[in-house]
Amino acid sequence: MELHQLRYFVAVVEEGGFTRAAARLHLAQPGVSAQIRQLERELGQPLLDRSGRRVTVTEVGAAVLGYARAALAAVDGIRHTVDEFTGLLRGRVALGLVSGAALDAFEVPALLAAFHNDHPQVEISLTEDTSERMLAALRGGELDLAVIGLAQEEAPPGISLRLVVDQPLVAAVAPGDPLLTPPDRVAVPLAELQGRPLISLPRGTGLRGVLERACAEAGIRPRIAFEAAAPAVLAQLAARGLGVAVVPALPPDVAADHGLRTLALTDPRPRGRVALAWRTAGPATPAARALRDRLHTALPVPAGGNEAPAGPARDHQGLGA
């Protein structure tokens, strides 16, 4: 019995057929089939049922599958342990990122490039998604790390956080909007947005979650007229008079460049927060832990920012997807 035979067997079971398993393994399909037949001959029992359109495990195959996966995991663990002692990192790391953060708030591409230069044997994948879906992917193990917007006052169960952005949210409007009367006005109670068309990130994002919670606290129901995944698009829609954009605070000169005026939101005062997140139990591989440490060091820390384990998270509300 050879380890590669076990690897082929697991791949066929997970892919439901020899052709897809061979593509995943970057091998020829006849070779995969032959090796598994050899394994079945050595064990004296068929492991796979090939009679249907989809290859399935036999009763014996189902019993063997757990041991095969455990054996492969043990070998991977041995490799990772040796790599840690030799200072060599290899493996895969999956990172999730809030929409717009890659280019706007963080130099994540530069950080990943530097990490790849230091650890060329580590395969890195990067995806942008909503915070809600990325939290589910963290819990399920599809992601090792994620930069997420925080929509809840409590830290998500089983998730540890390191705050990287903490800003008040503001109402951004075009010059001449009724909210700007009187001209020296600098703040607006959230209740005054009742019935106004609002421009926000989509449902499932941190900023949208913060907006909905704040509106509920103010006793109003938000009328979302436009949604966009990128904060810059929200600003452009508001600048054309299509509604009130709820966005992170903008410096006056940046707001002017977008053709906008901003007003602080009050009663309540919602804040947008973004955090680096990982499973409280820790990333599963040395490579993922190394990337977490690199991001932990390189990403900015807002005033009063801290690492927040699962549990109370000091009013962690969110910005971004």
Side-chain angles (χ1 to χ4, degrees):
M1 185 186 306
E2 302 290 340
L3 279 172
H4 68 270
Q5 293 173 332
L6 298 180
R7 196 175 302 278
Y8 297 174
F9 168 60
V10 170
V12 171
V13 173
E14 292 178 349
E15 297 296 336
F18 288 93
T19 301
R20 292 180 62 181
R24 167 174 149 182
L25 296 166
H26 305 290
L27 297 170
Q29 185 267 334
V32 174
S33 180
Q35 286 296 318
I36 293 179
R37 288 195 182 278
Q38 176 63 31
L39 177 62
E40 290 174 322
R41 284 194 293 270
E42 291 181 15
L43 295 176
Q45 291 288 338
L47 303 178
L48 298 172
D49 182 351
R50 302 163 173 82
S51 60
R53 294 183 61 185
R54 181 179 175 87
V55 177
T56 58
V57 289
T58 63
E59 185 176 359
V60 174
V64 168
L65 182 60
Y67 291 103
R69 285 175 168 153
L72 296 173
V75 171
D76 287 341
I78 291 171
R79 289 197 180 104
H80 287 317
T81 299
V82 172
D83 289 345
E84 283 189 289
F85 277 98
T86 59
L88 173 65
L89 286 181
R90 65 175 80 240
R92 298 174 182 168
V93 182
L95 173 66
L97 195 64
V98 291
S99 297
L103 298 178
D104 295 342
F106 315 115
E107 292 292 336
V108 170
L111 292 175
L112 295 183
F115 185 83
H116 175 70
N117 288 337
D118 292 340
H119 307 291
Q121 298 299 318
V122 175
E123 179 183 336
I124 306 171
S125 66
L126 176 66
T127 184
E128 286 192 345
D129 209 336
T130 67
S131 297
E132 198 171 88
R133 287 195 289 263
M134 288 194 293
L135 279 172
L138 279 174
R139 294 190 185 100
E142 292 90 8
L143 288 177
D144 298 297
L145 305 160
V147 178
I148 63 171
L150 303 171
Q152 302 296 324
E153 293 184 1
E154 298 292 321
I159 300 296
S160 289
L161 306 170
R162 191 276 214 174
L163 203 62
V164 296
V165 170
D166 184 1
Q167 295 178 319
L169 300 184
V170 299
V173 295
D177 189 279
L179 288 178
L180 298 175
T181 303
D184 60 349
R185 191 178 198 187
V186 296
V188 58
L190 200 61
E192 285 197 30
L193 301 185
Q194 174 73 47
R196 290 293 307 271
L198 301 183
I199 304 168
S200 173
L201 292 178
R203 190 179 299 275
T205 62
L207 187 147
R208 179 65 169 271
V210 170
L211 174 60
E212 291 176 347
R213 288 168 60 87
C215 287
E217 187 175 339
I220 67 171
R221 187 172 184 176
R223 176 189 162 200
I224 306 298
F226 295 93
E227 295 179 340
V233 176
L234 304 183
Q236 292 168 12
L237 292 169
R240 284 160 177 75
L242 295 174
V244 180
V246 178
V247 295
L250 299 170
D253 57 334
V254 174
D257 288 344
H258 283 286
L260 294 169
R261 290 273 307 279
T262 62
L263 298 169
L265 292 172
T266 63
D267 304 319
R269 296 178 179 271
R271 299 190 68 83
R273 292 188 171 107
V274 170
L276 175 64
W278 62 92
R279 290 183 295 280
T280 299
T285 66
R289 291 195 292 273
L291 181 57
R292 179 196 61 183
D293 293 343
R294 177 71 64 92
L295 293 171
H296 201 288
T297 301
L299 290 176
V301 179
N306 68 330
E307 183 177 309
R314 295 191 181 183
D315 191 37
H316 274 177
Q317 298 170 344
L319 159 71

